[in-house]
Amino acid sequence: MTDSLKPVSLTRESTTSVVLLATTPACRLSCADGTLLDRLNGQLAELSVLDVQVVSPSDGLGGLSADLRGIAKIARVAPGPVVVLPADLVAHTDALALLLEHPARDTSALVSYDATAAPMRPPVRVESGKVVAAGSSFHLVPEANATFRGVLQARETDLTALADVAEELAELAEMGKLGPVTTVEAVDLLLVGLVRSGVAVRSASIGPLHCDRVTGQVSADNALGRLADVDESRVRLDTAVKSSDGFFSTYFVSSWTRYLIRPAAAMKLTPNAVTGISIGLAVLSSIWFAAGNRPAQLAGAALLYLSFCLDCLDGQLARYTRTFSPLGAWIDSMADRLKEYVVYVGLAFGYAAGLPLSEGGPDGIWYLAVAAMILQTVRHSINYAFGAAAKDAGRIGVPGGKPATPLHESADGGRYGVPPQGVLRLARRMEREKVLWWLKKMIVLPIGERMALIAITAGVYNARVTFIALLGWGGVAALYLLAGRIARSAR
């Protein structure tokens, strides 16, 4: 049976629907907020989730198949993403926010890599940020490297797949083809089914946070005690800073902008406001570059660096305050291109100051500036057009994709997908070794490295050196990206 909890009046509302599985007695265990179910309801209200539905047994009856059919029914009519989580869960609010407030609203699962803090069950195998194999008491996972923490989200376009998987699992459970699985494993089985049916499931690591399922009052008390041992505010600050950013951004920007996040939040600054200030500093940088003399070049370089620091801060502030929006993401992306190209114009003007501008200006500086703009545009097209094409292919299904595995097969042998060859094998090796990993991050000339390259070459040398360096490094980056995209497409 499904029941809707009373909506709570909040300033921000989530379009995500949450299904709470309350068919196990553990969800009625007591805690400071009443029961574990009451506690979860309060956390969801804090996260601005208004559509919460509880799947509970009717007249004392129920079972695994009833839970799964209830989930399927909700998934088929939900207006947006659906999150399934058991009501016997004891978790940090920020752990739940990793799915509920992630801007992508994608299909994802909370996982933990800490085998000492939690048993490796239900086991999963994660590769390149995706769950490629998932298990239960019936389904095995060779080479498991993480554990599923019981919270699963399905994006809107995957709701049909979620409903189909839930109904198929319900039928298998009724026929006794899933072995000793119980109602407790409903969400675990759903993850198994989605992965085996070929749905891409992003792994959302909880890091040092906790998200545990409990079976009795003692385990509930212990789990609540573990929550208190973690400084959730500090973890939230740490996770606001990208862990996979570029080398320059990581060591020369984020290492100190992290200390500006809380003051900015206390001042009620919005990410868009910080983006606006960043644009202003970039325009001032361009004006200084346009002056063309050495002191002005150095001042322009310093302002460009500060502009980029604020460009990083706006994203950190958005993650810390959980204020994501499509408009903000679009503004941030457009601002990056605007600032970079405005600086190109300033550099070209400064180099050509007081000299004839015929035939491209002195030393063809305007030709170099336009070539640099075109190259950056091509690089971004290679990068983002491939991502969009991959998403489209995933939606319509492409030949040669990951084969579906029957849900009633207990052995989960073999590896999903085709082993990477050539360029992809090299890329995987670079991911395993730290020095090579940083080299891989730098070779594509991300925005942090570009801003550093512009600031250093313009401040120490001149605009001509800057554009030649951008064209040289950018050309290598474009070829590397192109080779990688072709290799991935040919898998």
Side-chain angles (χ1 to χ4, degrees):
M1 178 176 72
T2 62
D3 306 306
S4 294
L5 298 183
K6 183 179 179 180
V8 182
S9 177
L10 297 165
T11 57
R12 289 185 298 150
E13 298 182 6
S14 171
T15 58
T16 301
S17 301
V18 172
V19 181
L20 279 174
L21 299 179
T23 51
T24 61
C27 68
R28 304 295 176 183
L29 295 173
S30 63
C31 63
D33 300 305
T35 66
L36 294 186
L37 181 59
D38 295 331
R39 182 178 184 277
L40 269 177
N41 183 31
Q43 289 178 296
L44 294 172
E46 182 180 345
L47 295 172
S48 306
V49 177
L50 302 186
D51 183 11
V52 180
Q53 301 184 60
V54 179
V55 175
S56 57
S58 177
D59 300 326
L61 302 175
L64 177 61
S65 62
D67 278 7
L68 292 169
R69 292 192 186 282
I71 294 168
K73 182 179 179 180
I74 294 170
R76 293 204 183 279
V77 299
V82 170
V83 173
V84 182
L85 67 158
D88 56 11
L89 197 73
V90 175
H92 283 108
T93 302
D94 275 8
L96 301 178
L98 291 173
L99 296 193
L100 290 166
E101 293 197 334
H102 193 281
R105 297 289 192 268
D106 56 355
T107 299
S108 46
L110 284 189
V111 303
S112 172
Y113 295 94
D114 188 357
T116 62
M120 293 294 284
R121 61 178 187 271
V124 295
R125 186 169 73 248
V126 177
E127 295 179 1
S128 300
K130 301 290 184 183
V131 179
V132 298
S136 67
S137 60
F138 180 72
H139 303 91
L140 305 178
V141 178
E143 304 177 32
N145 58 3
T147 177
F148 176 47
R149 305 316 299 154
V151 184
L152 175 66
Q153 175 172 270
R155 65 180 180 179
E156 188 173 357
T157 54
D158 288 334
L159 291 182
T160 299
L162 175 65
D164 291 343
V165 164
E167 291 174 349
E168 182 182 354
L169 285 166
E171 292 176 3
L172 292 173
E174 291 167 350
M175 292 185 292
K177 292 187 176 181
L178 293 179
V181 295
T182 65
T183 305
V184 176
E185 296 184 81
V187 67
D188 306 340
L189 290 170
L190 288 173
L191 178 59
V192 173
L194 287 176
V195 172
R196 288 191 166 206
S197 64
V199 173
V201 181
R202 177 178 62 88
S203 64
S205 172
I206 62 174
L209 297 174
H210 292 294
C211 185
D212 302 308
R213 299 188 66 179
V214 298
T215 56
Q217 192 61 55
V218 174
S219 64
D221 293 339
N222 290 338
L224 290 167
R226 286 194 294 272
L227 298 187
D229 292 338
V230 176
D231 185 347
E232 196 169 359
S233 177
R234 177 59 183 271
V235 173
R236 184 172 178 177
L237 179 63
D238 291 340
T239 54
V241 180
K242 283 185 180 180
S243 59
S244 59
D245 222 336
F247 181 84
F248 182 79
S249 300
T250 298
Y251 290 103
F252 295 95
V253 178
S254 297
S255 57
W256 66 272
T257 56
R258 62 182 293 114
Y259 300 108
L260 301 179
I261 298 174
R262 283 174 174 166
M267 293 170 62
K268 306 295 184 182
L269 284 176
T270 66
N272 288 346
V274 176
T275 301
I277 298 172
S278 174
I279 293 173
L281 288 178
V283 172
L284 289 176
S285 171
S286 177
I287 293 173
W288 279 106
F289 280 139
N293 56 65
R294 181 60 57 202
Q297 296 289 103
L298 292 172
L303 287 171
L304 181 60
Y305 170 70
L306 291 177
S307 172
F308 178 68
C309 291
L310 292 184
D311 185 52
C312 293
L313 179 62
D314 63 5
Q316 295 166 356
L317 182 62
R319 287 184 287 274
Y320 182 77
T321 58
R322 301 172 186 157
T323 49
F324 303 104
S325 71
L327 176 62
W330 178 79
I331 289 175
D332 185 56
S333 177
M334 294 298 293
D336 288 344
R337 306 289 77 74
L338 172 65
K339 290 183 293 185
E340 187 171 356
Y341 295 160
V342 162
V343 167
Y344 286 2
V345 172
L347 285 168
F349 262 117
Y351 191 81
L355 296 174
L357 300 183
S358 61
E359 298 183 2
D363 300 322
I365 194 66
W366 286 105
Y367 294 146
L368 291 175
V370 171
M373 289 184 185
I374 293 174
L375 178 60
Q376 292 306 322
T377 302
V378 170
R379 287 184 59 248
H380 285 288
S381 297
I382 293 173
N383 198 21
Y384 293 108
F386 179 86
K391 288 182 180 179
D392 289 340
R395 281 192 288 267
I396 64 176
V398 293
K402 184 174 67 179
T405 303
L407 296 175
H408 61 272
E409 289 187 5
S410 61
D412 196 357
R415 301 179 66 84
Y416 290 113
V418 180
Q421 303 294 328
V423 175
L424 290 182
R425 184 184 292 115
L426 175 61
R428 290 289 176 83
R429 179 186 174 189
M430 294 175 78
E431 289 178 358
R432 292 193 297 268
E433 299 181 21
K434 188 171 183 179
V435 174
L436 293 178
W437 185 79
W438 280 121
L439 179 61
K440 177 185 175 183
K441 299 283 288 185
M442 294 172 66
I443 197 173
V444 297
L445 192 58
I447 189 168
E449 274 65 16
R450 289 204 306 278
M451 294 299 103
L453 180 65
I454 293 170
I456 293 172
T457 55
V460 177
Y461 300 102
N462 55 51
R464 189 169 189 275
V465 173
T466 298
F467 290 131
I468 291 175
L470 285 170
L471 290 169
W473 192 345
V476 172
L479 290 175
Y480 177 84
L481 284 172
L482 185 60
R485 297 301 182 255
I486 292 173
R488 291 182 184 278
S489 300
R491 290 182 67 181

